[in-house]
Each structure stands twice: as C-alpha cells, then as structure tokens.
Amino acid sequence: MDYNNPNGIVSTEQIPEGMVRWKSPSNIALIKYWGKHGNQLPRNPSISFTLEAAFTETSIQYRARREYGSGLEFSFYFEGEENPAFGERIGRYLNALLPIFPFLKQLSLEIRSGNSFPHSSGIASSASSMSALALCLCTMEERLLGVELDNEAFDRKASYVARLGSGSAARSVFPKMALWGKLNEVAASSDEFAIGMAARLHERFHDFRDWILIVSREVKSVSSTAGHDMMNNHDFAEARYAQARRKTHFLMEHLSHGQIVEAGKVIEEEALTLHGLMMCSMPGYVLMEPETLQIIRAIREFREKSGVQVFFTLDAGPNVHMLYSGRDEEAVEDFIKTRFPQYMEPERSIRDKLGAGPVQLD
Ligand code: DP6
C-alpha cells in the first residue's frame, strides 16, 4: 500500500478556513502486539475489542499560511492547555506524514485534544488519541483535495495513518473488534492497517464489558515503545511470534463460534505471556503490582466457584481489565463489592464495553 501523494498540494488560491473533529475510542488487545520492525510494522497479528467509554476527542482548526517552506505551523492543546511534551510527539508524527499529506505545510493548524478518562489514570491514550488525529487528517484531505473514498477505503487509510503514530491505534478505527497483521486465512488482513472484524464476532460477545480496575496511576517505568524494542534481542522472540500467530488463529475461531470459555483461556494466556516476556527481557522488568496478582487470583477463584465467565487481561501496565458478558454484570459487581470495594470508586475504575467505533463530530 502506498499512500504517498507527491501531488497532494491544495490547488485553489483560497484555502477555506475550517475545522474537523473526531471522537475515537481506545481498544483492549486480546492477542497482544509486542515487537515491531521497519516503519511500525508488527511482528505478529493482534486482535482487539474496541471500547466505548474510554475515548479521545480531537479537533483540528486549519487556515492557509501566507508563505510556507518545508516546516509545519501548528499549536497543540491538551485538555485546554498548551502541552509542549505531547506537542513534540505530534510534531514528529505530522512531519513523518508529509509525504502522505503534503498539504499540511500549506496550513496553520490548531490541534486540540482531550480524553474522557483522566490523563493520570494509567490508561494508555495513544490508541484513542492517534486514531482520532489520523481520522481528522483523512477528513481534511477529503475536504481540501476533494479526494473521495468509500467508507471501507477511508477506514483503511485512517488505520494505516494511525498505525504510523502508534501501532495499537490502527485497531481503534473499527467497531467492536479489529484484526491488525497479516493472517493467511483472512484475505484482507495486512501488517499495514487493521481491518474491522465485527461481522465475524459471534453475538454472544457483542454485549461484552470491560471493567478496568486502576491498580496504579503511576507513569510506567518502561514504556511500550522501549518494550517493543527489547523484543528485538529477546531469546524467545521467534517462538513468541509463532505462538501469537497460532493463538490469533484459534482465538478468531472461538470468537466467531461464540466459545466464551475457550476464548477466555487464550485471552488470559496472552496477558500472562506479555508480562512473562517483559520479565525475561534484557534487562527484565515487572509492571504488575502485588494487587494485580491478587485480583488475577481472585478472578480465577470466583470463576471457578460461581461458574460466571469473567476473564482478565492486562495492558503493558498493572491495571486489570475484566471481560465478561453484560448478563453477568450483577454477579461481577457483587464480586468486586465483596473482594475489592475500592474499585467501586469511579476514580479507580472505568466501566467500559464494546463500542461502535469512532464518530465524526461535525
Ligand atoms: C501491550 O501501540 O503503545 O498494549 O506502536 O510503540 O506506540 P507503539 O506501541 P503501542 O503498544 C501496545 C502494546 C500493548 C499490546 C497491544 O495493544 O496490542
């Protein structure tokens, strides 16, 4: 796929002033993307559920620059305040996108972004924020250059562009479930963009919940980007990539046939494998907290005793995502109330569910 567009300069003398706005959700990986190469290409396919309550809203206000050279003119506000640290990352990203969107250097941009969840909640926002930004850029291109893509082609391009900002963001563009990475049995799948998989998700999973227990709000001691890097000289790398490919295949089968128990088993194995890989990286590191382990054990015990199919997964951090069907909401709530009442506090949890994907706001 080559989205580079050397002719993508706005031809009209008068570039209209305008604004684009998108809201885009976070996602939780069931098969983890861990290890990358080249320009943000994954070492193995990954599958995720798209969330609903955890999202980023981003707007870009644009107007013509009088004169332009090769650099960009933009300001970045996060939750109403200018944010130089985030702005720097956005600047690097936009610069890298110039071959795809050369018109960006003709414009002066004001980018504003905000999350539905507190920034300090320990919830990674790169998936929702980079996908929201990518969607804004693709909409701007349509408007300014008159490019018209059908919905599928638009989503694919947005996913490709989002991937260049953060790998996991490629998956946030689609409702309910997404697959990123080439998988032989799924014809349209690609390492370059994710594809929507809602149509293959059995209805039993459509009302699935993700109750996120915020064990710690601390900034991670090792970033995901550094973690991906360590996979490059990891003793288990090749075995892991082969395993992830196999598991993607099996999980897809379970998810499309409504096999909740079997899917849950793979999902939990994946979470523990991700943290196992971190622990035996060079140097090894641990992102789980003692309470992460207590919760994991309690979930397994509760499942065994009650028969309620609730599973855990983990991101690259200590917070626990509990996945379960909406019809078990009450039973899971009773479990949390009894065992971990601190997570009934709204500051310590996000009660999320499978969502409908991004929405253009204007
Ligand atoms: C553990 O997408 O945050 O959450 O591409 O460097 O931005 P970059 O990494 P990122 O990695 C996410 C890793 C993960 C698993 C996953 O979401 O698949």
Side-chain angles (χ1 to χ4, degrees):
M1 189 68 68
D2 184 6
Y3 284 118
N4 287 358
N5 183 6
N7 305 316
I9 293 289
V10 182
S11 55
T12 45
E13 281 299 306
Q14 296 284 317
I15 298 173
E17 223 178 283
M19 176 153 105
V20 286
R21 259 175 86 206
W22 276 89
K23 164 180 162 177
S24 188
S26 185
N27 68 75
I28 178 67
L30 308 177
I31 299 288
K32 309 294 182 182
Y33 146 56
W34 202 240
K36 58 177 166 178
H37 65 105
N39 194 4
Q40 291 277 101
L41 294 165
R43 291 285 188 189
N44 62 261
S46 56
I47 299 180
S48 57
F49 280 160
T50 302
L51 300 180
E52 177 82 11
F55 62 83
T56 299
E57 244 180 62
T58 296
S59 67
I60 305 183
Q61 193 143 20
Y62 56 88
R63 59 186 166 75
R65 272 166 92 177
R66 277 182 195 284
E67 284 171 27
Y68 63 91
S70 54
L72 290 165
E73 189 174 289
F74 79 99
S75 52
F76 178 74
Y77 296 83
F78 180 71
E79 281 166 6
E81 287 179 22
E82 213 153 354
N83 188 313
F86 286 1
E88 205 183 312
R89 180 166 179 194
I90 302 283
R92 266 185 277 126
Y93 176 54
L94 295 178
N95 267 301
L97 292 180
L98 281 174
I100 301 176
F101 303 124
F103 63 83
L104 288 177
K105 39 178 205 274
Q106 296 175 275
L107 304 172
S108 177
L109 309 172
E110 187 181 287
I111 307 173
R112 292 182 174 268
S113 195
N115 295 336
S116 62
F117 47 95
H119 169 55
S120 58
S121 61
I123 300 297
S125 63
S126 68
S128 53
S129 60
M130 287 300 175
S131 55
L133 186 53
L135 286 155
C136 285
L137 295 169
C138 290
T139 299
M140 277 170 68
E141 181 188 49
E142 284 200 328
R143 268 199 213 161
L144 294 169
L145 298 184
V147 174
E148 275 189 43
L149 298 174
D150 62 38
N151 287 349
E152 192 178 295
F154 179 88
D155 288 351
R156 195 162 284 187
K157 182 163 189 176
S159 175
Y160 177 103
V161 172
R163 178 200 108 224
L164 298 175
S166 180
S168 52
R171 299 185 308 241
S172 274
V173 173
F174 303 94
K176 306 229 161 124
M177 176 164 88
L179 165 71
W180 172 38
K182 184 70 198 156
L183 196 65
N184 288 335
E185 67 259 37
V186 182
S189 63
S190 167
D191 284 354
E192 295 188 294
F193 48 81
I195 55 172
M197 297 298 272
R200 296 224 194 178
L201 185 65
H202 191 279
E203 60 179 67
R204 259 181 219 148
F205 290 100
H206 283 231
D207 76 336
F208 252 56
R209 307 292 148 111
D210 178 3
W211 187 339
I212 309 169
L213 309 179
I214 301 169
V215 172
S216 164
R217 298 165 179 278
E218 306 263 306
V219 176
K220 290 178 284 190
S221 55
V222 180
S223 71
S224 287
T225 304
H228 286 293
D229 263 2
M230 282 189 233
M231 284 306 286
N232 288 328
N233 64 344
H234 198 293
D235 281 342
F236 301 149
E238 289 314 316
R240 160 60 191 164
Y241 304 143
Q243 176 202 53
R245 202 155 282 123
R246 276 196 315 274
K247 288 199 172 165
T248 305
H249 166 82
F250 288 121
L251 185 60
M252 273 311 309
E253 294 284 299
H254 301 323
L255 292 169
S256 57
H257 292 113
Q259 297 162 330
I260 296 184
V261 174
E262 293 81 354
K265 187 166 169 286
V266 178
I267 290 167
E268 291 193 349
E269 282 164 11
E270 270 295 294
L272 296 178
T273 301
L274 171 70
H275 284 260
L277 288 164
M278 293 173 188
M279 287 188 246
C280 55
S281 285
M282 286 176 285
Y285 59 103
V286 183
L287 295 186
M288 288 186 287
E289 294 292 335
E291 197 158 283
T292 311
L293 295 175
Q294 279 168 18
I295 297 170
I296 287 177
R297 286 208 180 104
I299 288 175
R300 287 186 155 175
E301 208 180 277
F302 168 66
R303 185 171 67 225
E304 207 136 287
K305 284 206 183 120
S306 67
V308 173
Q309 296 306 313
V310 47
F311 304 96
F312 67 83
T313 187
L314 306 165
D315 248 334
N319 301 328
V320 181
H321 292 243
M322 286 196 303
L323 300 172
Y324 54 94
S325 160
R327 51 157 216 248
D328 293 323
E329 185 77 54
E330 232 180 277
V332 174
E333 189 167 311
D334 282 348
F335 160 66
I336 291 294
K337 271 188 190 148
T338 324
R339 294 296 305 269
F340 302 101
Q342 63 273 35
Y343 293 104
M344 293 304 296
E345 302 295 322
E347 315 76 69
R348 296 216 55 191
S349 78
I350 299 176
R351 293 176 74 162
D352 215 329
K353 59 179 184 184
L354 262 68
V359 180
Q360 187 177 355
L361 296 173
D362 295 307

